[in-house]
Amino acid sequence: MGTSDVISAGSGLLSLVAIVVSVLVARSQSQLARREQLLPVVSEILREAVAPEFRANRNFIVDQLAVDHPQHFDGMRGLPPDASNRARHVMSYMNNVGLLVANESISAQLVSSVMGGSVVNVWAAVAPYVYAERVLRGDDPNYYGYLEHLAVTVHEIGPDKLATELKLRKWPPETAAR
């Protein structure tokens, strides 16, 4: 093996290392750019989830919808306009968030961190109306399908699994009281 062979092999190895480093840097830059692009979306999700009107409508769905308007096979169209508008406000918002989660545009962990229990509770309250409406729409399985997907996903994550996956740290109870 001559000097030119050693130089050639060294050049090839150096080129391979340069390609690997370039790919890793490009991947890292791509992930950073994606996070930056999602910041406005995440900010809006946070803003809407804590807005007084949204919270009032969410609480109405969870606490009053079935009490005030028992489900009876008329789906969403069986609700009076005020109840329907309040429910659709929350359901459409959560359906859109579910769309982003299903397409992996935003993290299910992030959504679960922000509004996990709310999603599950809203779905539990509106599911009978949605299922009835699906039948009325000719067995349309996609009517609020992203909301259903989001509820299942958030439920599967659960608070304990979420805390473990995020490696959330806790103060020991005896030191937190000091």
Side-chain angles (χ1 to χ4, degrees), residues 57-154:
N57 289 339
R58 183 193 64 219
N59 292 342
F60 165 75
I61 291 169
V62 172
D63 299 332
Q64 286 299 124
L65 182 63
V67 173
D68 294 350
H69 311 286
Q71 168 51 24
H72 54 75
F73 305 110
D74 285 339
M76 296 298 293
R77 59 186 84 181
L79 295 172
D82 181 59
S84 176
N85 290 339
R86 294 182 80 181
R88 288 178 197 277
H89 172 219
V90 173
M91 292 168 63
S92 294
Y93 166 77
M94 290 185 174
N95 197 62
N96 288 335
V97 172
L99 172 101
L100 295 172
V101 168
N103 285 286
E104 298 178 354
S105 295
I106 58 173
S107 159
Q109 283 182 332
L110 174 70
V111 173
S112 185
S113 296
V114 173
M115 53 192 233
S118 294
V119 173
V120 173
N121 292 337
V122 164
W123 177 253
V126 301
Y129 301 90
V130 171
Y131 292 143
E133 188 68 33
R134 286 176 179 174
V135 170
L136 295 171
R137 291 170 174 256
D139 292 321
D140 177 5
N142 297 317
Y143 181 76
Y144 285 106
Y146 292 113
L147 169 55
E148 183 175 22
H149 170 79
L150 182 64
V152 170
T153 302
V154 166

Side-chain angles (χ1 to χ4, degrees), residues 27-41:
R27 185 173 182 206
S28 175
Q29 291 296 323
S30 175
Q31 289 173 342
L32 285 173
R34 183 175 180 190
R35 284 185 188 148
E36 287 178 14
Q37 290 172 346
L38 290 178
L39 187 58
V41 173

